[in-house]
Amino acid sequence: GLMAGRVASLTRSFPSYWARVWSSVFSLSGARVVSNQGTSSLVQVVCSHRRLNCYPIIQSRVRAISSASVCRISGSTMSATAGNESGAGDEQDHQRAHDISANLDTVLERVKAASSSETAPGQPVRLVAVSKTKPASDVKAAFEAGQRHFGENYAQELVEKAKELSNDIKWHFIGGFQSNKAKMLVSVPNLWVIESVDRAKLANALQKELEKQDRSEPLRVFVQVNTSGEESKSGCEPGEAAALVAHIRDNCSLLNCVGLMTIGAIDYSPNPECLKRLVDTRTTVCEELEIPLSNMELSMGMSGDFEQAIAMGSTNVRVGSTIFGARN
């Protein structure tokens, strides 16, 4: 029936005077009258139950009822065709899932092509579908299409989605965070990696919280490097990366530093200089700490430049809008 944020199509023949009256009532309640056609008026409304709560008189007259029931308002009876609305909603959900699946297939093909090029022959590349601000239903659609690695920017959003969705999802936390969020992050049982560790304080906080858990293996982390030089960007300076990787290796037994990550320019525009700077930083880190290059991944490349990033050596690309559409 007439429920929060949903659509009910109400039809009844009544005098045009009452059509104007109900137009006013629905307008007051936050509803929208789509059409009035003389004495045989079709009134289609979109209303918010929360807003109806602000109008007790209207609320007392309007009853949210199930499909195929009858809605009585001030003694007038209108047929509520909520079944049609439900069918339309299902069709939209199906189309949304189809679009996400098609977008995902396209991105995977592009990743495969880029990783098979002469500059990156046979290089294995992991696709992380960045689902920040998107509903859990979008993540579910991509998961059912075969995607397993998903990225989130906000700790609370990650926790909420992890509770609702499959434990087979491999979550990547890719946003900046403070040490007081460490407990929340490591509480996610299927957290696969944290890609945004940019100072020893964060590594220590994660280590402390992990010590309270009965973990069978260390948590993967990437060290985030600020390759654009912009103060507004998170990440350690390229020259500080080796020291941070060493700190994690020597002092945080429950963390496993598997690579370096960068975001790039502040406007997320393609910037090969930022990508090259991360490649050079990895070379320096591996030489100083005697780590094989193959043991130090590169997480770089997003929707606008992931193919270029793969060509330059990225093993982990984070793609959001190309799969799910623009951020809400």
Side-chain angles (χ1 to χ4, degrees):
L2 195 58
M3 302 178 68
R6 298 181 67 82
V7 178
S9 296
L10 307 176
T11 61
R12 177 172 175 80
S13 296
F14 51 82
S16 58
Y17 167 78
W18 286 107
R20 291 193 297 273
V21 170
W22 289 117
S23 294
S24 299
V25 169
F26 287 131
S27 177
L28 282 172
S29 66
R32 176 167 56 88
V33 178
V34 176
S35 63
N36 282 321
Q37 300 173 351
T39 58
S40 180
S41 298
L42 171 63
V43 181
Q44 185 180 51
V45 299
V46 181
C47 71
S48 165
H49 185 266
R50 182 178 301 172
R51 293 190 67 180
L52 283 176
N53 286 338
C54 299
Y55 302 94
I57 295 176
I58 297 172
Q59 186 185 31
S60 68
R61 305 271 190 300
V62 179
R63 295 292 181 264
I65 58 176
S66 61
S67 175
S69 295
V70 175
C71 180
R72 291 181 174 82
I73 306 179
S74 293
S76 297
T77 304
M78 302 182 185
S79 172
T81 57
N84 292 338
E85 172 228 337
S86 177
D90 291 343
E91 183 176 347
Q92 290 176 353
D93 292 343
H94 178 75
Q95 183 61 49
R96 175 65 175 162
H98 177 272
D99 291 345
I100 289 173
S101 179
N103 293 343
L104 181 61
D105 287 343
T106 299
V107 172
L108 286 170
E109 284 298 320
R110 291 170 62 186
V111 168
K112 182 179 178 180
S115 61
S116 300
S117 66
E118 293 182 0
T119 56
Q123 175 179 296
V125 179
R126 181 186 307 109
L127 171 64
V128 180
V130 179
S131 48
K132 61 184 178 184
T133 76
K134 298 299 180 180
S137 58
D138 281 5
V139 179
K140 183 179 179 181
F143 178 82
E144 292 178 346
Q147 179 66 21
R148 290 297 178 267
H149 291 267
F150 292 87
E152 288 291 335
N153 278 57
Y154 308 108
Q156 186 62 47
E157 186 175 357
L158 169 60
V159 169
E160 292 173 356
K161 286 180 179 175
K163 289 178 180 177
E164 184 175 348
L165 297 165
S166 172
N167 286 333
D168 290 333
I169 288 177
K170 298 176 180 180
W171 292 107
H172 293 230
F173 185 74
I174 60 178
F177 69 103
Q178 300 298 319
S179 56
N180 61 0
K181 296 294 184 182
K183 181 177 181 179
M184 180 183 295
L185 289 172
V186 302
S187 71
V188 177
N190 49 332
L191 178 65
W192 199 78
V193 65
I194 294 178
E195 297 198 22
S196 48
V197 176
D198 62 0
R199 53 194 183 277
K201 182 178 180 180
L202 293 182
N204 295 340
L206 291 170
Q207 172 70 20
K208 180 179 178 181
E209 293 301 330
L210 290 168
E211 288 173 352
K212 300 175 184 178
Q213 299 183 359
D214 185 21
R215 288 188 67 92
S216 58
E217 61 181 29
L219 173 66
R220 301 172 188 84
V221 296
F222 282 80
V223 164
Q224 182 174 352
V225 181
N226 184 340
T227 57
S228 67
E230 295 158 311
E231 293 183 1
S232 58
K233 276 290 174 66
S234 298
C236 66
E237 294 298 316
E240 300 171 348
L244 181 51
V245 172
H247 174 84
I248 294 171
R249 180 193 63 186
D250 300 336
N251 300 284
C252 303
S253 60
L254 292 177
L255 297 180
N256 178 21
C257 183
V258 297
L260 306 179
M261 182 271 261
T262 194
I263 292 177
I266 193 169
D267 58 357
Y268 301 102
S269 61
N271 189 331
E273 286 303 314
C274 291
L275 302 179
K276 184 178 185 302
R277 197 163 291 126
L278 190 69
V279 174
D280 293 342
T281 300
R282 178 178 68 166
T283 300
T284 300
V285 168
C286 289
E287 288 178 352
E288 288 188 16
L289 303 180
E290 298 182 344
I291 299 173
L293 283 174
S294 59
N295 290 354
M296 187 63 57
E297 290 195 40
L298 291 177
S299 177
M300 61 184 191
M302 295 180 284
S303 287
D305 63 353
F306 69 88
E307 289 157 311
Q308 184 178 36
I310 291 171
M312 296 181 70
S314 179
T315 57
N316 189 84
V317 293
R318 311 179 305 274
V319 180
S321 59
T322 306
I323 297 173
F324 298 108
R327 190 194 311 184
N328 295 336

